[in-house]
Amino acid sequence: MPMKGRFPIRRTLEYLQKGEIVFKSSVKIMTVNYNTHGEPSEGARKFVFFKIPQVQYKNPWVQIMMFKNMTPSPFLRFYLDDGEQVLVDVEGKDYKEITQHVKKILGKSDKVLQAEALAKMEASNPANFGPKKYFLRECISEVEGQVPHPGRVPLPKEMTGKYRTKLAASSED
């Protein structure tokens, strides 16, 4: 992607992955109401410009809507899955303050994020086997380079016990 436009670093994968805000699973919709001009909305404008792409990348299940010039004071509204609404006033706040506040009230804690990352790493470990519901593979025979599962692909004659027994019996005679 060419590095053109206003602040093109916002569109890089590295920048998007550095986002701090990962919402709890109960957050379904986020609306941002701000004005394009005026001092009270400066923090909200910068939040939309710098942080919303990161929030969208980290929370693909959350619908995000921006409303410009529809309100005298800027605010964020979150709609939760149980029908509850959370209103956050951002008038006169810096975008970093807004980020920290939103992360504190509706974001997952660092401990939860670390636990999820650890669980994801454990689940994706190719050495783990078990039911497909929990693991990537059910059997060692699904790994490339291993002997195929005898229930799906017949084994070569030389590897079967009956053949070896018959071969041993015929060599004794």
Side-chain angles (χ1 to χ4, degrees):
M1 180 175 224
M3 297 297 262
K4 294 182 179 180
R6 287 185 61 207
F7 212 85
I9 195 80
R10 292 180 304 148
R11 293 186 294 274
T12 63
L13 191 59
E14 182 180 349
Y15 179 80
L16 294 174
Q17 290 173 340
K18 287 185 180 179
E20 304 171 12
I21 302 173
V22 178
F23 290 129
K24 296 175 183 173
S25 58
S26 62
V27 177
K28 298 299 177 197
I29 302 172
M30 171 186 176
T31 63
V32 182
N33 293 272
Y34 68 102
N35 296 316
T36 55
H37 301 291
E39 183 64 31
S41 292
E42 183 65 28
R45 277 195 302 275
K46 286 190 175 180
F47 179 77
V48 167
F49 190 76
F50 291 111
K51 297 295 182 179
I52 289 294
Q54 292 177 336
V55 170
Q56 286 178 322
Y57 181 81
K58 290 283 192 169
N59 305 284
W61 66 89
V62 176
Q63 180 181 353
I64 300 175
M65 298 183 63
M66 267 77 77
F67 296 108
K68 298 179 188 176
N69 301 322
M70 295 180 69
T71 179
S73 62
F75 62 90
L76 306 175
R77 180 174 283 155
F78 298 91
Y79 297 89
L80 308 182
D81 57 358
D82 61 356
E84 188 179 343
Q85 295 180 16
V86 178
L87 191 65
V88 179
D89 182 31
V90 296
E91 185 172 4
K93 290 185 179 178
D94 185 28
Y95 77 98
K96 293 177 183 176
E97 294 173 12
I98 296 170
T99 303
Q100 292 305 316
H101 185 67
V102 169
K103 182 180 175 185
K104 182 179 175 184
I105 61 171
L106 289 168
K108 292 181 180 177
S109 67
D110 291 333
K111 287 182 180 180
V112 171
L113 291 174
Q114 288 174 352
E116 286 180 354
L118 184 62
K120 186 176 181 183
M121 285 178 60
E122 287 176 358
S124 66
N125 186 345
N128 292 336
F129 298 95
K132 284 280 190 191
K133 183 177 180 183
Y134 304 109
F135 299 100
L136 294 173
R137 297 183 180 92
E138 287 184 346
C139 181
I140 187 71
S141 63
E142 294 178 12
V143 177
E144 187 74 26
Q146 299 294 321
V147 175
H149 195 280
R152 296 190 183 114
V153 178
L155 288 173
K157 285 192 309 185
E158 297 80 23
M159 297 181 84
T160 61
K162 287 182 179 180
Y163 179 79
R164 288 185 180 178
T165 309
K166 189 195 277 185
L167 191 65
S170 66
S171 66
E172 288 178 7
D173 292 337

